[in-house]
Amino acid sequence: MGLKGKKILITAGPTWVPIDDVRIISNVATGRTGILLAREAAVRRAEVTLVLGPGEERVRGKLSRLIRFRFFSELKDILQRELKNKKYDIVIHSAAVSDFKPEYKLKGKLNSDKGCRLKLIPLEKLVVLIRRFAPKSILVMFKLESTVTDKTLIQRAKSSRDMVSADMVVANRLNPYRAFIIDKKGNRTKVKNREQLAKKLIKLLNTVFNN
């Protein structure tokens, strides 16, 4: 049986947070990882809903649904609507969600001839919202770090996994890219690129429903 007919929700890409009416805070994510995951799941005939942030990445392969968003608030609203109204077997939260927002949004367009100090305040963790609205779904979350050791990366990823009761966490880092897929029991699968990550993660999830 595997993933055939299973309903999978995948988030991908960056989120925008407004500074003023035309400027934003964002990040360097492209959505490529989520797109690769969606493609692999579709190959196994899962019913895939891809929720994709702003970017130029092309979506190829047969998806059940593609939902686009730009801003953090839009992604939050989409997740609430989807998880309240539809039962998903798996949620893969690979979107690079903004961690901060300005204390307040500036009105109009900030004068480029003048400086401005922004105070950033933390945003809520959408993965916590996902677990609250989808308590029975298999939840795969991502933890990205940049300049830490693999040991620290894995420790922080496990801590994040346990905090939200996720079933798996992908601990990944950039430059050079590498990642570890870690399940609830602490079993680790190391991967060296995004393509390998997509194949191995979807294969692991497929195995869950074969048991």
Side-chain angles (χ1 to χ4, degrees):
M1 184 76 177
L3 294 179
K4 181 180 178 182
K6 299 299 180 184
K7 295 178 174 60
I8 304 178
L9 176 68
I10 300 174
T11 67
T15 59
W16 291 355
V17 175
I19 296 174
D20 59 18
D21 287 350
V22 297
R23 297 181 178 89
I24 59 168
I25 298 172
S26 189
N27 55 61
V28 298
T30 64
R32 183 182 171 204
T33 297
I35 292 170
L36 290 170
L37 286 164
R39 189 183 303 164
E40 288 294 324
V43 167
R44 293 182 182 269
R45 299 175 69 181
E47 295 182 18
V48 182
T49 296
L50 176 61
V51 182
L52 181 62
E56 299 300 324
E57 287 286 331
R58 288 189 174 186
V59 181
R60 297 175 181 174
K62 186 177 180 181
L63 303 179
S64 298
R65 296 167 67 207
L66 173 63
I67 304 173
R68 298 302 304 254
F69 72 89
R70 296 179 302 164
F71 291 93
F72 174 94
S73 58
E74 293 173 344
L75 175 57
K76 179 181 176 181
D77 289 344
I78 290 167
L79 288 172
Q80 288 179 317
R81 183 179 68 247
E82 286 296 309
L83 297 177
K84 280 183 178 179
N85 297 328
K86 189 173 181 180
K87 179 182 177 182
Y88 284 94
D89 299 291
I90 301 171
V91 179
I92 304 176
H93 186 46
S94 67
V97 180
S98 301
D99 292 313
F100 301 97
K101 69 175 182 178
E103 188 174 24
Y104 57 89
K105 178 189 171 187
L106 300 170
K107 293 182 179 180
K109 180 185 176 185
L110 179 66
N111 189 332
S112 60
D113 294 329
K114 298 180 180 179
C116 176
R117 292 182 182 271
L118 294 177
K119 180 180 179 180
L120 301 180
I121 60 175
L123 281 162
E124 64 183 295
K125 298 293 186 182
L126 293 186
V127 69
V128 176
L129 178 148
I130 291 171
R131 180 44 92 202
R132 184 165 74 246
F133 285 108
K136 295 183 179 180
S137 300
I138 291 176
L139 174 58
V140 182
M141 64 180 293
F142 278 62
K143 179 64 174 177
L144 173 68
E145 296 286 356
S146 128
T147 58
V148 300
T149 64
D150 286 352
K151 181 179 179 180
T152 299
L153 169 65
I154 291 168
Q155 288 175 340
R156 291 181 181 178
K158 287 181 177 179
S159 177
S160 296
R161 177 202 62 196
D162 295 342
M163 182 184 69
V164 297
S165 297
D167 297 277
M168 293 183 187
V169 60
V170 176
N172 59 331
R173 58 176 298 161
L174 304 174
N175 301 321
Y177 180 90
R178 63 179 173 275
F180 301 88
I181 305 168
I182 309 169
D183 66 16
K184 273 187 173 181
K185 296 179 180 179
N187 298 315
R188 299 202 305 257
T189 302
K190 186 177 180 179
V191 297
K192 60 183 180 180
N193 56 54
R194 291 173 178 82
E195 289 80 8
Q196 192 177 81
L197 169 64
K199 289 182 181 298
K200 290 199 173 185
L201 178 55
I202 295 302
K203 184 177 180 180
L204 285 171
L205 291 169
N206 188 73
T207 302
V208 169
F209 287 99
N210 269 334
N211 291 336

